[in-house]
Amino acid sequence: MKKLGMLLFVVASLAMVFTRVVLAADSLAEIKKKGVIVAGVKDSTPPFGYIDEKSRQLVGYDIDIVNAIAKKLGVRVELKTVTSASRMPQLQEGHIDIIAATMTKNAERAKVIDFSHAYFLTGQKFITRKGSVKNLKDLEGKRIGTAKGSTSEQNVKKAIPTATVLSFDDYPQALLALQQGKVQAVTTDEAILAGILSKTPNKAQFEIPNLQISDEPYGLGMRKGDKNLVSLVNKTLLELEQSGEAARIFSKWFGPTTQFHLQRTFKITAAK
Ligand code: GLU
């Protein structure tokens, strides 16, 4: 009986390895065959991925970028919600084909998954009660909220080692903790902080001091070795830059007609 169990275990493990190898081999062909690309996106990170109050649809910058890629491929998009902590496992287990979820492209993550060229640039800051924080010293020994599995969590521990970092499933929960006085600051990428603050009823009580602790370039995540999909995605991103479409998408979510008035300080290039 023990032997049979062992045999089943070995067969199951081999099947899993085989599925992963096949999945990694050519998602692009698979996506074209199925006529659908499954994208992992955020659902409470305005304006990157969130549920629009009127249409009840998932919308945002990340979603428009995925839609543009799907258009190029001539396939439909299916959106699945991910969190910062779940996005890499979801991809590796084959539940999604691509991550478009405010994800920083860095060397550590690139050991596990492949990234597209960077398609957005931001940097890590804090939300605090107005006037409470002038420099990083003011955050020493304080409680700071962020999201599990994010670079924000790692960066803040390095930047302010004396702080107690509380990691939530997502950023809105961290902001709630700030409103309730359970943490003294929330930290993540500035563009995300500005987005969640804009949806907060008592936003006038808070601010984002000009204290940046890192650069965060976003990449689209794909399975390691998924060469054809990565090159199609990169080609599309460069075309979107050339045609002005990437700038239009930026402007739609961050430009002068929005509450953010952000300048586009980056271009999508093959170098990043
Ligand atoms: N961009 C950072 C990261 O990839 C923070 C935002 C997030 O948690 O998605 O971890």
Side-chain angles (χ1 to χ4, degrees), residues 71-264:
K71 195 169 159 202
K72 167 88 183 170
L73 277 165
V75 298
R76 201 164 59 74
V77 182
E78 188 184 318
L79 301 174
K80 281 201 180 153
T81 301
V82 295
T83 62
S84 301
S86 78
R87 59 195 162 190
M88 289 220 281
Q90 293 266 44
L91 178 72
Q92 289 180 294
E93 285 159 25
H95 302 308
I96 54 177
D97 300 311
I98 191 165
I99 300 170
T102 66
M103 187 171 194
T104 297
K105 171 181 181 172
N106 64 23
E108 193 191 329
R109 289 171 174 171
K111 287 182 196 151
V112 188
I113 64 170
D114 280 344
F115 282 103
S116 69
H117 301 320
Y119 69 99
F120 190 83
L121 181 67
T122 178
Q124 186 171 341
K125 291 194 174 176
F126 302 84
I127 296 180
T128 58
R129 276 201 182 270
K130 255 191 191 152
S132 68
V133 172
K134 300 267 183 289
N135 51 51
L136 285 185
K137 275 207 163 353
D138 296 331
L139 287 166
E140 280 176 12
K142 296 280 158 51
R143 292 158 74 88
I144 303 177
T146 188
K148 263 181 227 148
S150 63
T151 51
S152 319
E153 191 183 31
Q154 298 175 355
N155 296 335
V156 71
K157 285 180 183 167
K158 277 190 215 129
I160 315 170
T162 56
T164 302
V165 177
L166 273 80
S167 296
F168 296 84
D169 282 334
D170 213 337
Y171 299 104
Q173 284 105 305
L175 191 69
L176 190 64
L178 177 65
Q179 286 172 306
Q180 295 170 339
K182 293 178 182 157
V183 296
Q184 281 79 47
V186 173
T187 188
T188 187
D189 308 333
E190 180 179 18
I192 297 178
L193 294 177
I196 54 172
L197 194 56
S198 75
K199 303 271 178 198
T200 305
N202 55 346
K203 55 174 170 271
Q205 298 174 14
F206 301 95
E207 66 181 349
I208 303 174
N210 194 18
L211 300 171
Q212 181 164 327
I213 59 168
S214 71
D215 285 332
E216 305 289 324
Y218 291 178
L220 300 165
M222 286 156 279
R223 273 180 288 276
K224 193 94 199 134
D226 213 347
K227 289 199 182 64
N228 293 342
L229 184 60
V230 172
S231 72
L232 184 283
V233 165
N234 277 337
K235 195 168 154 248
T236 308
L237 286 175
L238 295 176
E239 281 172 14
L240 293 175
E241 183 63 48
Q242 279 237 303
S243 67
E245 184 60 17
R248 267 192 295 279
I249 296 175
F250 180 91
S251 186
K252 172 178 167 190
W253 297 104
F254 298 99
T257 60
T258 69
Q259 51 207 310
F260 305 114
H261 304 273
L262 283 194
Q263 293 287 339
R264 191 168 186 256

